Amino acid sequence: MKQRSWWGWGYTEDAVTGVEREALTKRVAAILPGTDLTVHEPPSVESLGLPEPRVAMPDSLAGLVSTDPTDRAAHAHGQAFRDVVRNLLGQVLNPPDLVVRPRNEADIVDVLDWASRANVAVIPFGGGTSVVGGVEPRAAASRSGDFAGAISLDLGALDQVLEIDRTSRAARIQAGVFGPALEDQLRGADLSLRHFPQSFEFSTLGGWLATRAGGHFATLYTHIDDMVESMRVVTPSGISESRRLPGSGAGPSPDRMFLGSEGTLGIITEAWMRLQDRPRWRATASVHFDDYAAAVVATRAIAQSGLYPTNCRLLDPAEAFLNAGAATSGGVLVLGFESADHPTRPWMERALELVADHGGTLPEPPSYTESAQHRPGTGAADTWRSSFLRMPYQRDALAAQSMITETFETACTWDKFDNLKTTVTEAANEAIRSVGATGVVTCRFTHVYPDGPAPYFGIYAAGRWGSTLAQWDDIKAAVSEALSAAGGTITHHHAVGRDHRPWYDSQRPDPFAHALRAAKSALDPAGILNPGVLI
Amino acid sequence: MKQRSWWGWGYTEDAVTGVEREALTKRVAAILPGTDLTVHEPPSVESLGLPEPRVAMPDSLAGLVSTDPTDRAAHAHGQAFRDVVRNLLGQVLNPPDLVVRPRNEADIVDVLDWASRANVAVIPFGGGTSVVGGVEPRAAASRSGDFAGAISLDLGALDQVLEIDRTSRAARIQAGVFGPALEDQLRGADLSLRHFPQSFEFSTLGGWLATRAGGHFATLYTHIDDMVESMRVVTPSGISESRRLPGSGAGPSPDRMFLGSEGTLGIITEAWMRLQDRPRWRATASVHFDDYAAAVVATRAIAQSGLYPTNCRLLDPAEAFLNAGAATSGGVLVLGFESADHPTRPWMERALELVADHGGTLPEPPSYTESAQHRPGTGAADTWRSSFLRMPYQRDALAAQSMITETFETACTWDKFDNLKTTVTEAANEAIRSVGATGVVTCRFTHVYPDGPAPYFGIYAAGRWGSTLAQWDDIKAAVSEALSAAGGTITHHHAVGRDHRPWYDSQRPDPFAHALRAAKSALDPAGILNPGVLI
C-alpha cells in the first residue's frame, strides 16, 4: 500500500528522485541556464502548527471524523502549483477543522443537517486534485470569518459500482470512486468509462461531475457532462434524483444544473454513467508541420470534417520539443482513432489527406493495431503520453527547485484563436519578465470542436525561492486577463473554484448569476456548501 | 403570398383537398372500415365571439399591437390535435387580449417592463407550432384569473441572420426567423444549420431553443441544444448574454438553463449557432426485417457502433406500412449517412454488416450519391420523407373527419424499451377501446443514442364528432401514465408546455423544482412570463 503525499502529487514512493531528478534538472539547466535549482524539502506536518479544531461533531457522527494533522493538512488544499509551493513553504493556513468520511448517503444527510444547524462550512472532497482552490476551505477556515467551523467531506468510502446495465452500456456508480478502481469494477463487463484526465489515478467520479472535467476524447464526448445519464445529489433541502434517460427535452436539464456546481448546490453521491466498449482497433499518427499557422488550419479541417478522432492534440513547437522530444518549426499533431466496432483505417486515411493538404508530414507511417497487439511505440505520440503521466510529479520536483511550472487552459472559437494565442503568449512572457523571471510558454490543444479549439498553455520559468507564489500569481492574473479579453473562457475543464472567481464573475451573465444565487438559496438555505466557490 | 391558417397547420392553400383528400379517406376507410368520415368545416372567425381585449398598451408601444380577431384567434393555440379539434368546434376560449410584435430587442425590454407593472401575462410566440399547449394563454386569459390581461409576444420581426463567421462555422441569428428564411440567409456562405424538425417551415429558431427541439440528426446532434454557441435572452431582470464558446467548464452552463425554459425565464432574442457545411456525399438504405425484436437489436448495434448515422429511424411494421408503404413483419430501418468532407461508403458498409448480422435485408441496394446527383428516389426512405412533410396537413384533414390522429414521443434506455413499447401500446389500445373508438398504434424511432432510443408513437383512431377531444385526452393520459411508469421521459423533443405538466412534475426531481422556481423568481419577479408552463 503506497502512501499519499500530504503536500504534493500522488504517492510519496513515486516522487521524482535519483536519475529522473538529475535528468530533469539537466534538461531545465540546458533550457534556462544559470537557474538556481537547489532542492527544497517539504516541512514536516508537525512543524506546520495547525490550529486546534474549532468544532466537534455530535456523538452519533463522531465515528466519521478524523482530526489527524496529516489528514487535515492533506485536505487543506488542492494540487495547483500555488498549493504545492505554499505547502513546501509550510504555509498551510486554511486546514479544515475536521476531515469527515461518510460511509453512505444517510451519513451525508446527517452531516449536512448538523452543519446547517451549526453553521459549519462543508467542503466536498473527492481526490483533492483541484487546481483552482476548489477544495481549500480558505475563508471558511478563517477564525474571524462567517463560519463556526469548516469540515472537509471526503467521499472516498463511496467507491462502488452498484449496478451495470450491459444492454444500454451504463452503470450506476458511487461518486467517491477513484479512476482506477472504477475501471477495475467495469472490466468484468468488458466496459469502460474511458474518462482519463491527467488526474485519473487520484481523482473521483464525483469530482469529475462537480467540475465538468475534460477527459480522454478530443472530440464529441469531451466533458464528463456528455456521459451522464442521471445523477443523485444530496442537498440540504432534500435528495435530487433525475430519471435515467438517453436524452430528454423535458424542461431545462436538472443534471446540467449540478454539473459544474462545484459542491455549492449539493453533494453528488451517485450517477448512472454511459459507458464504452473497450476499443479493439486503434490508429495513431504523429504529423509534423513546418508552419504552425498551417498546422492550426489542418487541425481545424479535421475538427470540421465529421471524422471525430479520439485524439487530436496539436502541440506547438515548444510543447512538441519539451514534452514529445520532437524538433519542428510548426509543431506536431497527435492524431488517434479508436473503435470497438470496426477498423478505423478509412477514418485515419482521410484525416491524413486533410493534414497533407496543409503541409503536414509523417516521419513514421501511421500505426494500425488490433487489441492485444497494441504496444507502446517510440513515436512522438507515445513519448508524449508517458511524459503526460509523469508531468504532475515533475511539476512538484521543479516547484521544490524554485521553478514556476504551471498550466492554464481555455477554449475559444477558431476565428479568435490566432489572436488569443499571440496575446496570451505575449502577456505571459511580459509577466514572466516583469516578475524578474525567465522562462518559456508552450501550448497544446487538449480538445477540438467544429467551432474552436481548447488550448492548454504551460509555463516553465525560473523563479526565486520564497517568491515563486507571488511571481506565479502575477503571471496568472496577466494571462487570465489576456485570455478573457481575447474571447476565451476562464476554464475549459479545470473549473472555477476560488482562484478563477474574478474572471468567471465577469464572464458569467449577470441575470444567470442572480438565478444561480437564488437556486443556491433554495437548495442550501444556510449557505454552508463550499462557500467562496462560484457564487 | 400564401395565407396562414388561423385554425390548423401551415398555409390555407396547402390544405388537403380534392384527390389527396379522396385517397386519404379511402386509405382510412380501408384500415378502419365503417368509420363516419364526414368532413366538418372550420367555423368563421366572426362566429367565435372572441371577448374584447381587457388591456391596452401605452401609446409609446401601441404601434406594435394587433387586436385583429383572426390574429388573436391564430395566437390562441398551438398545433396539437387538441388545438385543431377545439378550433374546428369553435372553442377558442383563451385568446390573448393583444398580439404584440416587437421590432427589436428594445421593444421587448419595454413590453416586459410594462407587463411587469401592469400584471399582464406575456406568452412568447415564435411559429406557434407547439403541440403541448406552450403558446396558449389558458389560465392567463381567464377573466377570473390572476392577470389583468394576456398578450402573445410574436417574435416574427426578428428574422435576420446578423453575422456569419465562416472560419468557425457559426452565425449570430435572431430568434424570430423561420426555418426556410434562416436557411436562405445561410446559403450564400454555403452553410446550413441542418435543423429540420417536421415543423421546419412554420417554426422559429427561438421556439426551437426554448423547447429543446429535436431535428435532423438521428445521432450526436439530436437536439438544438448541441448547436448553441451562445444565447442572448431578455429577462424582466436584465439581458443575459453568454460568451461565444465552443466548449466551457466554467460553472453550470448558463445556456442550459434557458434551453428548455419554454418562455418562463426570458425571451430569447438571438443566438450564435453552430453550422454545418452543406453535405456533398449521401448514402441511404432501407433495411427490412422479419422480426421487430431483431430490428431493435440491430438498431442498437448501430447506435453503439460509433458510426453515427445521420438517419437511423426504425419504423415498426404498422408505421412502415402506413407511412412508407412497406409490408414487412419486422419493420423497416431507414439508414442514412451524409458528409461534406468524404464519401460515407465505408460507414454505410459497416452499418449494413451490422444489420445483416441481425437478419436485416435490402430490397434495393443502398444508394450512394454526390451533391447535384441527389434525386428523390422511390425507396421506402423517400416515400417516408414525402409523407413526413404532408403529415400535419393530413392530420388536420382527418381531425375534421372525426379521426383521432396524434403523436406522442419519449426516450428510454435500451434495457427498458421492449417493456415500454409493449405496455404503452397496450395502454393505447385499451384506452382507444375504452373511449369507444377503434384504431391503430404505430411507433418509429426519431433519434437513437448509445444508451437508448427515442420512440415516437402515432395513433390513428376513428372517433365520434364532438367527442374526439375528450376521447384523445383520455388516451393521452393513459399513454403518458404508461410511458412514465415504464421509465420514459414525458417528452424527448416536444417540450412540456401546459399539457405535459402532471407527468413532468412527477419526473422532475423536487429539489430541482425548488431551484427552478427560485431562479424564475429572480429573473421574473412579477411572474408574468408564460404562466402555467413548467413551473
Side-chain angles (χ1 to χ4, degrees):
Chain A
M1 197 64 184
K2 291 184 190 175
Q3 181 72 36
R4 283 290 296 275
S5 167
W6 75 262
W7 68 270
W9 188 258
Y11 295 120
T12 308
E13 292 84 348
D14 291 341
V16 172
T17 55
V19 178
E20 187 182 7
R21 166 85 77 178
E22 278 170 39
L24 186 65
T25 304
K26 203 175 282 179
R27 196 142 60 95
V28 173
I31 299 166
L32 300 168
T35 303
D36 175 6
L37 293 169
T38 307
V39 177
H40 300 268
E41 297 297 335
S44 68
V45 169
E46 293 66 39
S47 72
L48 297 175
L50 299 189
E52 287 301 305
R54 294 169 291 173
V55 288
M57 293 196 77
D59 289 350
S60 58
L61 299 169
L64 315 178
V65 172
S66 160
T67 55
D68 172 69
T70 306
D71 219 4
R72 290 174 64 207
H75 286 76
H77 56 82
Q79 293 290 344
F81 170 76
R82 63 192 316 283
D83 298 326
V84 170
V85 170
R86 288 184 296 164
N87 293 342
L88 285 166
L89 294 171
Q91 297 171 3
V92 179
L93 303 180
N94 304 308
D97 295 290
L98 314 171
V99 176
V100 179
R101 293 188 168 83
R103 297 154 303 180
N104 50 47
E105 208 173 75
D107 284 345
I108 296 172
V109 171
D110 291 343
V111 169
L112 294 190
D113 278 353
W114 167 78
S116 291
R117 285 194 310 272
N119 189 34
V120 169
V122 176
I123 288 83
F125 191 99
T129 59
S130 170
V131 291
V132 291
V135 297
E136 179 182 335
R138 218 169 288 181
S142 161
R143 304 267 143 174
S144 57
D146 297 335
F147 294 93
I151 63 171
S152 184
L153 192 71
D154 186 319
L155 279 290
L158 281 70
D159 62 355
Q160 295 299 304
V161 173
L162 299 172
E163 207 173 333
I164 295 179
D165 168 4
R166 190 70 190 73
T167 305
S168 313
R169 288 199 327 201
R172 185 158 70 94
I173 307 172
Q174 288 188 303
V177 69
F178 283 75
L182 166 55
E183 289 294 330
D184 285 347
Q185 293 176 74
L186 296 176
R187 196 163 287 118
D190 214 23
L191 290 167
S192 167
L193 182 61
R194 302 199 74 60
H195 180 75
F196 304 124
Q198 194 169 31
S199 62
F200 174 72
E201 198 174 354
F202 302 106
S203 56
T204 64
L205 174 63
W208 302 336
L209 294 168
T211 61
R212 304 179 66 188
H216 172 65
F217 294 102
T219 63
L220 292 181
Y221 303 110
T222 54
H223 286 95
I224 194 81
D225 314 27
D226 304 314
M227 304 172 195
V228 176
E229 224 172 48
S230 73
M231 286 166 71
R232 197 170 154 94
V233 185
V234 178
T235 81
S237 299
I239 294 177
S240 180
E241 181 169 16
S242 55
R243 194 173 287 184
R244 272 189 75 191
L245 294 170
S248 182
S253 162
D255 296 336
R256 296 278 180 174
M257 186 184 74
F258 289 111
L259 289 162
S261 63
E262 302 190 21
T264 61
L265 302 181
I267 312 292
I268 299 163
T269 55
E270 55 184 67
W272 273 96
M273 298 299 298
R274 301 178 181 130
L275 305 175
Q276 308 281 328
D277 290 310
R278 297 187 172 270
R280 178 170 161 193
W281 289 277
R282 287 186 177 81
T284 59
S286 296
V287 186
H288 288 213
F289 288 88
D290 289 337
D291 176 44
Y292 182 68
V296 171
V297 176
T299 306
R300 171 159 64 85
I302 290 175
Q304 297 181 340
S305 68
L307 293 166
Y308 306 123
T310 313
N311 206 346
C312 186
R313 317 210 169 191
L314 178 62
L315 319 180
D316 80 353
E319 177 77 24
F321 181 71
L322 287 178
N323 287 317
T328 63
S329 53
V332 174
L333 175 61
V334 180
L335 266 181
F337 292 87
E338 63 178 38
S339 174
D341 179 72
H342 47 264
T344 55
R345 189 183 282 259
W347 283 247
M348 177 60 93
E349 285 176 348
R350 175 57 190 154
L352 294 179
E353 282 177 10
L354 283 168
V355 295
D357 287 348
H358 299 283
T361 57
L362 291 172
E364 294 178 38
S367 137
Y368 298 102
T369 58
E370 200 180 330
S371 275
Q373 286 183 244
H374 185 68
R375 290 274 176 279
T378 55
D382 293 289
T383 308
W384 190 84
R385 176 175 296 277
S386 340
S387 160
F388 180 68
L389 294 175
R390 288 302 292 166
M391 277 179 197
Y393 286 108
Q394 297 189 346
R395 192 269 318 263
D396 287 0
L398 293 174
Q401 291 176 279
S402 309
M403 287 289 291
I404 302 162
T405 59
E406 183 56 300
T407 62
F408 58 95
E409 39 84 63
T410 185
C412 65
T413 47
W414 288 110
D415 62 316
K416 298 190 172 75
F417 172 69
D418 294 345
N419 176 61
L420 182 142
K421 178 158 197 278
T422 305
T423 57
V424 168
T425 305
E426 277 172 6
N429 282 322
E430 172 56 32
I432 290 169
R433 268 193 303 277
S434 77
V435 299
T438 51
V440 293
V441 183
T442 70
C443 179
R444 64 177 190 264
F445 294 166
T446 54
H447 306 81
V448 293
Y449 300 86
D451 55 336
Y456 190 102
F457 293 88
I459 289 197
Y460 308 87
R464 286 182 310 277
W465 187 247
S467 299
T468 54
L469 179 65
Q471 289 176 308
W472 166 248
D473 283 348
D474 282 0
I475 298 167
K476 172 73 176 176
V479 297
S480 298
E481 286 299 331
L483 69 83
S484 286
T489 173
I490 191 60
T491 178
H492 173 266
H493 62 270
H494 278 172
V496 174
R498 292 167 175 83
D499 296 349
H500 282 155
R501 276 297 299 282
W503 301 281
Y504 172 65
D505 287 0
S506 68
Q507 170 176 340
R508 177 180 56 185
D510 284 341
F512 181 69
H514 301 328
L516 196 59
R517 271 187 222 108
K520 159 104 175 161
S521 293
L523 298 180
D524 175 24
I528 54 163
L529 287 173
N530 221 3
V533 166
L534 282 186
I535 297 168
Chain B
M1 193 74 181
K2 292 185 191 172
Q3 181 74 35
R4 282 291 295 275
S5 167
W6 75 262
W7 67 271
W9 188 257
Y11 295 120
T12 308
E13 293 83 349
D14 291 343
V16 172
T17 54
V19 177
E20 187 182 8
R21 165 85 76 178
E22 279 168 39
L24 186 65
T25 304
K26 204 175 282 179
R27 196 141 61 92
V28 172
I31 298 167
L32 301 169
T35 304
D36 176 4
L37 293 169
T38 307
V39 178
H40 300 266
E41 296 297 334
S44 68
V45 170
E46 294 66 39
S47 71
L48 298 176
L50 299 188
E52 288 300 306
R54 294 168 291 174
V55 289
M57 294 196 77
D59 289 350
S60 57
L61 299 169
L64 315 178
V65 172
S66 160
T67 55
D68 172 68
T70 306
D71 220 3
R72 289 175 64 208
H75 286 76
H77 56 81
Q79 293 289 345
F81 169 75
R82 62 192 317 282
D83 299 326
V84 171
V85 169
R86 287 183 297 164
N87 293 343
L88 285 167
L89 295 172
Q91 297 171 1
V92 179
L93 303 180
N94 305 308
D97 294 288
L98 314 172
V99 177
V100 179
R101 293 190 168 83
R103 297 154 303 182
N104 50 47
E105 207 172 77
D107 283 344
I108 296 173
V109 171
D110 292 344
V111 170
L112 295 189
D113 279 354
W114 167 78
S116 292
R117 285 195 310 272
N119 189 34
V120 170
V122 176
I123 288 82
F125 191 99
T129 60
S130 170
V131 291
V132 292
V135 296
E136 179 182 336
R138 217 168 289 183
S142 160
R143 304 267 142 174
S144 57
D146 296 336
F147 294 92
I151 63 170
S152 184
L153 192 72
D154 186 319
L155 280 291
L158 281 71
D159 63 355
Q160 295 300 302
V161 173
L162 299 171
E163 207 173 333
I164 295 179
D165 169 4
R166 190 69 190 76
T167 305
S168 314
R169 288 201 327 204
R172 184 159 70 93
I173 308 172
Q174 287 187 304
V177 69
F178 283 76
L182 165 56
E183 289 293 330
D184 285 348
Q185 292 177 73
L186 296 176
R187 196 163 286 118
D190 215 23
L191 290 168
S192 168
L193 182 61
R194 301 199 75 59
H195 179 75
F196 305 124
Q198 194 169 30
S199 63
F200 174 72
E201 198 175 354
F202 302 105
S203 57
T204 64
L205 175 63
W208 303 336
L209 295 168
T211 61
R212 305 179 66 188
H216 173 65
F217 294 104
T219 64
L220 292 181
Y221 303 111
T222 55
H223 286 95
I224 194 80
D225 314 29
D226 305 314
M227 304 172 194
V228 176
E229 224 172 47
S230 73
M231 286 166 72
R232 197 170 154 95
V233 185
V234 177
T235 81
S237 299
I239 295 178
S240 180
E241 181 169 17
S242 55
R243 193 173 288 184
R244 272 189 75 192
L245 293 170
S248 182
S253 163
D255 296 337
R256 296 277 180 176
M257 186 184 72
F258 289 111
L259 289 162
S261 63
E262 302 191 20
T264 62
L265 303 180
I267 312 292
I268 299 163
T269 54
E270 54 183 68
W272 272 96
M273 299 298 298
R274 300 178 182 130
L275 305 175
Q276 308 281 326
D277 289 310
R278 294 185 174 271
R280 179 170 160 192
W281 288 276
R282 288 184 176 83
T284 59
S286 296
V287 186
H288 287 212
F289 287 89
D290 290 336
D291 176 46
Y292 182 68
V296 172
V297 176
T299 307
R300 171 159 64 85
I302 290 175
Q304 297 181 341
S305 68
L307 293 166
Y308 306 123
T310 313
N311 206 346
C312 186
R313 315 208 171 191
L314 178 61
L315 319 180
D316 80 353
E319 177 78 23
F321 181 71
L322 288 179
N323 288 316
T328 62
S329 53
V332 173
L333 175 62
V334 180
L335 266 180
F337 292 88
E338 63 178 38
S339 173
D341 180 72
H342 46 264
T344 54
R345 188 183 282 262
W347 283 249
M348 177 60 93
E349 285 175 348
R350 175 57 189 153
L352 294 179
E353 283 177 10
L354 283 169
V355 294
D357 288 348
H358 299 283
T361 58
L362 290 172
E364 295 179 37
S367 138
Y368 298 102
T369 58
E370 201 179 331
S371 277
Q373 286 184 243
H374 185 68
R375 289 275 177 278
T378 54
D382 293 289
T383 308
W384 190 84
R385 177 176 297 276
S386 337
S387 160
F388 179 67
L389 294 176
R390 287 303 292 166
M391 279 179 197
Y393 286 108
Q394 298 190 343
R395 192 270 317 262
D396 288 359
L398 293 174
Q401 291 176 277
S402 309
M403 288 288 292
I404 302 161
T405 58
E406 183 57 300
T407 61
F408 58 94
E409 38 85 64
T410 184
C412 65
T413 47
W414 289 111
D415 62 316
K416 298 190 172 74
F417 172 69
D418 293 345
N419 176 61
L420 182 142
K421 179 160 195 277
T422 305
T423 57
V424 168
T425 305
E426 278 172 7
N429 282 322
E430 172 57 32
I432 290 169
R433 268 194 301 276
S434 78
V435 299
T438 51
V440 292
V441 184
T442 69
C443 179
R444 63 179 189 263
F445 294 165
T446 54
H447 305 80
V448 293
Y449 300 87
D451 54 336
Y456 190 102
F457 293 88
I459 288 197
Y460 307 88
R464 284 183 310 279
W465 186 249
S467 299
T468 53
L469 179 66
Q471 289 178 308
W472 166 248
D473 282 349
D474 281 0
I475 297 167
K476 173 72 176 175
V479 297
S480 298
E481 286 299 330
L483 69 82
S484 286
T489 172
I490 190 60
T491 177
H492 174 264
H493 62 272
H494 278 173
V496 174
R498 292 167 175 85
D499 296 348
H500 282 153
R501 276 298 299 282
W503 301 281
Y504 172 65
D505 287 1
S506 68
Q507 169 177 342
R508 177 180 56 185
D510 284 340
F512 181 68
H514 301 328
L516 196 58
R517 271 186 222 109
K520 159 102 175 162
S521 293
L523 297 180
D524 174 24
I528 55 162
L529 287 174
N530 221 3
V533 166
L534 281 185
I535 295 167

